Amino acid sequence: MSNFKEADQIVQRNKVEDEAEAKKAPNKKNEFVDDGRSIADMNIEGFSWYTPNKYSTERKNLSDLKLTRKERMAMIFGALQAILPVAIIMILLLFGVFLLISFWLS
């Protein structure tokens, strides 16, 4: 039983010493310095900002192309030529369905 009393006395003494040191020391806030290191990769699957490594390397390669304005416009025009016929057909089909429904209900 005496061992427990001695241990309790040591604990109490340490508490008193820690409280005394805490009162003496001024409240200093540590200044945060950002050294640029990454702690954890935040590119997590399922989040809206997730980009697979495959796409990020492709995007980097495309940005290194250094296209002229004329070449960029030619690429945009080519993409529009590929998409426009499909979009027009879908709009015409939607309009046709709308006409059929309006004639049927009138």
Side-chain angles (χ1 to χ4, degrees), residues 31-39:
E31 189 173 318
F32 177 73
V33 178
D34 187 11
D35 56 1
R37 289 184 290 171
S38 177
I39 304 301

Side-chain angles (χ1 to χ4, degrees), residues 64-103:
D64 292 339
L65 283 179
K66 308 289 186 209
L67 296 173
T68 64
R69 182 177 171 89
K70 189 175 181 180
E71 290 171 336
R72 185 175 292 123
M73 292 305 289
M75 287 176 65
I76 292 171
F77 187 67
L80 284 175
Q81 282 181 338
I83 293 172
L84 213 53
V86 175
I88 290 172
I89 290 172
M90 291 182 76
I91 290 171
L92 288 175
L93 285 174
L94 183 66
F95 183 69
V97 168
F98 176 74
L99 283 177
L100 281 173
I101 291 173
S102 66
F103 286 135

Side-chain angles (χ1 to χ4, degrees), residues 8-52:
D8 187 45
Q9 290 173 353
I10 292 172
V11 168
Q12 291 298 327
R13 187 174 55 227
N14 286 341
K15 281 184 182 178
V16 171
E17 289 174 359
D18 290 340
E19 288 174 3
E21 287 178 13
K23 288 180 182 177
K24 289 180 185 177
N27 293 336
K28 290 186 179 177
K29 291 187 178 181
N30 294 336
E31 189 173 318
F32 177 73
V33 178
D34 187 11
D35 56 1
R37 289 184 290 171
S38 177
I39 304 301
D41 183 19
M42 298 306 291
N43 194 18
I44 301 168
E45 241 181 287
F47 286 134
S48 60
W49 57 80
Y50 175 70
T51 53

